[in-house]
Structures are given as structure tokens and as C-alpha cells.
Amino acid sequence: MPADSKQLQTQRTLPFTRHKHPVSAVVVALLTLFLVLFPKGGIKFGTIPLTWGYLLLGLTFPVLAIVRFFVFPFRAGRGTLLAIASLVPFQILFFYSVEQNGIFGIGEALSIFTSFFVLPLIFLLIYPVFLPLLDGVQFDRLFRFSVFSAAAFGIFLFFLYPITGHLFQIPYLTVNAADYGTIETFKHINRGAYLKLISTYNNGNVYGVATLILLPLYDALEPRLWRRNLVKFALILSLSRTVWFGLVAEQLLSLFALCVDAALTFPRVVLGSAVRRGAVILLTVGGVLIGLTFISRDLSFLFDSQLGGRAGTVRAAAENVTWLPTIPVQLFGEVVYATALSSYGITGLLSILLISTFPLFLLLRDQRALRSPLRRAALKGLLLYMILMCIDGAINFIPVMAFYWFVYMVFLHGWPGGLETSTRPHSRAHLLGLPAVLPHRAESALILDSMLD
């Protein structure tokens, strides 16, 4: 075995026992299972869902906050403080709108408050100090198990429904108890003979968007090609144009980075990498075409001028432009940027754009994240969601924003347990589609590599 392969294998099997605590292992395991594998399990109070994953976040948050602020020195990196500061303009607008215009409903205000106040505080300020105390290898395995199992269960449901005419549901676990028996009717998942692949997320778009945020990290961590491809197959079976676009966008980002990288390293050009990436894009497009056959649609379905009913939202936002919010606080629509404009005015749109593009600013300010394959993968997940917000960000739905802020945390601080460079047992060059050695590589090309992996 080559020396670099031995080193990577050793990194994947280090015990990381220093400072470990059994309670932390149990909490992390439960959070992963009930946020990634069973995100909708729980109950409802009226129209407000209380899922077990979010309940566990809420229960552990005060305890960990006390420990964090009274036991650990109050230290936060400049990148973390800047990321939190990027939220402040929208937070001010939110309170301004509540004061001036009121709210449409307590559930809507609570959803936005959770997404832009509570979750960033948990993942960016509270959790990071505990990351070195966790078992990174154990969390890696649990994370991969949860993402893969959610995809496999979704594929099982996708092909089960046409045969039996029913979805297999476990109340309190795979579905919210209040939604049991109603998923097929009220979740907008019907595509004729087939339902959108919903897995345990109860909605095809939500499953697809949430999984796309995690996909670059999963690809970087999962050593088995067939498992990585099965997750992508599940995303294709979501039968969601947004998700299909996200899958293609992920590959296009990588291809674009390779092409620019080739220009920066000219005359040393690795054409094979671009060809392989192009082949993957063609396979992805082929998968989308197969998805169209499941719903008996043609290419016009992909290029709907009404954007699947979203064009009206965009037009309404453009026709009623204000500087400040003039309507009561309500949930974001599918096209996040358009509804930010219509609900919060020009300042609201600018504040949401600041949040979604801020990881790029942090990268330009400090490029050390590029040295870690997992931090680069996290950045790619953030960039993908920035793009998806133009179409359907599913921003109101559990667990999308929990995933977003978790990935943001990995981008800033690395993988829990110090598993910074532990990727699947291939070379980093294999991940990038590049040869094992690229001497004299342009330093600026590293920025482009962040869109790979």
C-alpha cells in the first residue's frame, strides 16, 4: 500500500478517544438519526410541527449554552463572528416588520425565527467548541449510514407505491403522527402512476434540496461508488425539476472549475479530467431523461415558462417593489429571493443575498479552508443551496436550514472530531478527477477546487 494511502487509512481508524464522553456520543447519534434519517418523526401542536430532532436541539441547547459560556473561554474566530454578523441586517428587518406590520401566524414567525436566529446560534457559536471532543470516525459512519439509509428507504417507497397503491408509514417516526395517512393527498407529491421519492422527508422537493446540501460532504466521505450513485439515483427519483437542476449544477460547477484550472495551469492541461466530468454530466442528464419517463413527460416539462407555478411569484415581487417590509411576517415562498423582495423589500432581498453569498466572502478573506477536502465539500454544499434558492429553496421546511447551518459549521471549523483530511480511501486527485500529482499548480486554482469534491 502506498504511503499516502496508509496515512489516509490510519486517519480513518484513529480512535480519537481524548476527552470523549459517552453522553456526547449518544446525543450526537440521536441528533443525526432524527435530523437526517427520521427528520419528520414527531407530533404537531395545531399546524406547528414538533419533530424529535428539533426537540432534541431545543432541549440540549440551554445546557450546552451554559457549558459553552461558563466553562469554555469565550473565544470565536473572526470568520465565525463575521458569519453571525452577516445575519444581523435580516434579523433587524424581521423585528422591524413584526413591530410595524405584525405576523400572519405564530407558526410562520416561529419558523423564520428558528431558521435565522436559533439554528445559526446553535451551529455557529455553541457547537463548535465541542467539536474536538467528539469521535470523528464514529460520526462519519453514522452520517453516511443515515444519508444512505434515507435514500434506500426512499427508493423502496418509490417502487412500492405503484404495486400496492399505498405508502409504508410509521407514525411518530417516518411521518409526523398528525400526517399519518395523508401524505399521498396533501404533500403535492403525485406524479401520476408514481409519487415523488419522499423517503422519510414526506416531500420530494424537501428531500432533494436537503440532501443536495449534504451531497458534497457525503461524496467526500463515502468510499463506495455504488452507495454514492444510489443517493444520486434517489435524487433523480424525486421527480423534482429543482432537484434535477441541482444535480446538473453540481457537476457543472466541477466542470467549470476544471476548465478554468486548466487555463491557469496552461500549458499543462489534463483533458482526461474534463472528459470524465463531461461524461458524468451526460449520465446525470440521462438519469433526468429516465425520470421524465416515469411521469410520462417530455422536455417541455423541464422548461416550463411558468416555472411550475412560480413565475407569478416572481412577477408579483417585481411589480410591487418597496424599500422596507410593508406586509405582516409570513413564510418564504419557493423562490426565496423573490419572496424576500416582496415580503421584506429591497433591503430584505439584499440581506438574504448577503447571507447566501457570504461564504464566498469568507473564502476570499481566508483560503485556509481549501486545505481540507471536507471544508471544501461543505463550501460546495453552501454554493449549491445559494443556487437552489433561485428556484425552490424549501427554506421553511424541516430539516433544510438545520442542514444548511450544520454544513456552514463544517465549512468554518472542519469535521467534528478533527477528521479534517479523512476522505474516502482514494487520493484527493481522484476526488477532483485529476492525476495523482500536479506539480507547480497555480495557487489561485485552489479557489476553484473548492467547488469540486
Side-chain angles (χ1 to χ4, degrees):
M1 182 182 291
D4 57 344
S5 298
K6 287 182 179 179
Q7 182 180 6
L8 283 175
Q9 188 65 30
T10 301
Q11 288 172 334
R12 293 188 66 85
T13 55
L14 282 174
F16 290 103
T17 55
R18 185 183 179 188
H19 303 307
K20 280 169 44 179
H21 194 283
V23 174
S24 66
V26 172
V27 170
V28 169
L30 290 175
L31 279 172
T32 306
L33 289 174
F34 285 109
L35 286 174
V36 181
L37 185 53
F38 302 114
K40 297 296 185 179
I43 57 177
K44 279 187 179 180
F45 294 98
T47 59
I48 303 175
L50 177 62
T51 63
W52 306 135
Y54 273 51
L55 176 62
L56 188 59
L57 282 173
L59 292 176
T60 57
F61 168 61
V63 177
L64 292 177
I66 292 172
V67 175
R68 193 261 178 270
F69 290 115
F70 289 95
V71 175
F72 290 89
F74 184 73
R75 295 175 183 171
R78 186 171 297 179
T80 298
L81 295 177
L82 287 172
I84 293 172
S86 72
L87 291 159
V88 172
F90 177 77
Q91 292 173 341
I92 292 173
L93 276 177
F94 174 80
F95 283 125
Y96 170 84
S97 188
V98 170
E99 174 65 24
Q100 295 294 317
N101 309 311
I103 60 176
F104 271 111
I106 185 64
E108 300 186 343
L110 185 61
S111 173
I112 295 173
F113 185 82
T114 300
S115 296
F116 291 96
F117 290 81
V118 179
L119 292 176
L121 180 63
I122 292 175
F123 285 103
L124 299 188
L125 201 57
I126 303 301
Y127 281 1
V129 297
F130 298 100
L131 297 184
L133 312 184
L134 302 179
D135 186 330
V137 173
Q138 184 182 71
F139 182 55
D140 164 21
R141 293 169 181 162
L142 187 59
F143 173 80
R144 289 185 288 115
F145 168 80
S146 298
V147 173
F148 174 80
S149 297
F153 183 73
I155 294 172
F156 166 73
L157 289 185
F158 183 86
F159 290 106
L160 177 69
Y161 179 79
I163 298 172
T164 65
H166 298 284
L167 286 174
F168 176 71
Q169 304 172 45
I170 304 175
Y172 301 101
L173 189 62
T174 65
V175 298
N176 190 290
D179 293 332
Y180 179 69
T182 67
I183 300 296
E184 303 154 35
T185 307
F186 296 108
K187 293 295 182 179
H188 308 291
I189 61 174
N190 195 300
R191 289 294 198 206
Y194 292 89
L195 300 180
K196 289 182 175 183
L197 184 143
I198 61 172
S199 187
T200 52
Y201 291 63
N202 300 172
N203 180 287
N205 282 32
V206 174
Y207 169 74
V209 171
T211 303
L212 279 170
I213 295 173
L214 300 179
L215 183 64
L217 275 174
Y218 180 77
D219 275 351
L221 289 164
E222 177 53 62
R224 283 159 287 196
L225 177 63
W226 73 270
R227 285 177 174 258
R228 301 196 300 271
N229 287 337
L230 184 137
V231 172
K232 294 181 177 68
F233 182 56
L235 290 171
I236 290 173
L237 295 184
S238 70
L239 306 182
S240 163
R241 284 169 290 202
T242 300
V243 179
W244 291 347
F245 179 82
L247 276 171
V248 175
E250 186 217 7
Q251 295 300 322
L252 288 176
L253 281 173
S254 299
L255 180 61
F256 173 76
L258 276 172
C259 292
V260 178
D261 182 48
L264 291 172
T265 58
F266 186 83
R268 190 180 185 88
V269 178
V270 186
L271 293 178
S273 301
V275 171
R276 285 193 296 271
R277 186 64 64 179
V280 174
I281 292 175
L282 290 177
L283 288 174
T284 303
V285 172
V288 170
L289 295 178
I290 292 173
L292 286 174
T293 64
F294 280 109
I295 55 178
S296 303
R297 303 290 180 91
D298 55 26
L299 289 175
S300 62
F301 178 74
L302 299 177
F303 303 101
D304 179 12
S305 61
Q306 296 302 309
L307 304 176
R310 301 177 181 93
T313 301
V314 178
R315 284 194 296 268
E319 292 170 358
N320 300 282
V321 177
T322 60
W323 280 101
L324 293 171
T326 58
I327 62 175
V329 168
Q330 58 184 325
L331 293 176
F332 283 93
E334 294 169 321
V335 186
V336 177
Y337 298 126
T339 52
L341 178 62
S342 61
S343 298
Y344 294 92
I346 294 175
T347 51
L349 172 60
L350 293 176
S351 66
I352 291 297
L353 282 171
L354 175 65
I355 294 171
S356 65
T357 61
F358 204 74
L360 289 174
F361 169 78
L362 292 175
L363 180 68
L364 292 174
R365 175 190 164 274
D366 183 359
Q367 298 175 20
R368 283 178 296 179
L370 302 177
R371 300 171 188 170
S372 163
L374 295 182
R375 293 179 69 186
R376 288 197 304 273
L379 175 63
K380 187 176 182 182
L382 298 177
L383 294 180
L384 278 175
Y385 189 66
M386 178 185 72
I387 296 171
L388 293 175
M389 290 169 76
C390 299
I391 310 169
D392 184 354
I395 198 169
N396 308 309
F397 298 96
I398 296 171
V400 171
M401 292 309 289
F403 286 6
Y404 180 83
W405 294 114
F406 163 74
V407 171
Y408 211 131
M409 178 182 69
V410 174
F411 167 58
L412 289 174
H413 302 283
W415 191 257
L419 206 62
E420 285 285 347
T421 57
S422 174
T423 57
R424 58 180 178 264
H426 301 296
S427 67
R428 174 176 173 273
H430 179 85
L431 280 170
L432 303 178
L434 298 173
V437 179
L438 257 182
H440 310 299
R441 185 179 174 85
E443 183 68 19
S444 57
L446 287 175
I447 298 177
L448 300 165
D449 287 349
S450 64
M451 292 187 289
L452 299 170
D453 288 10

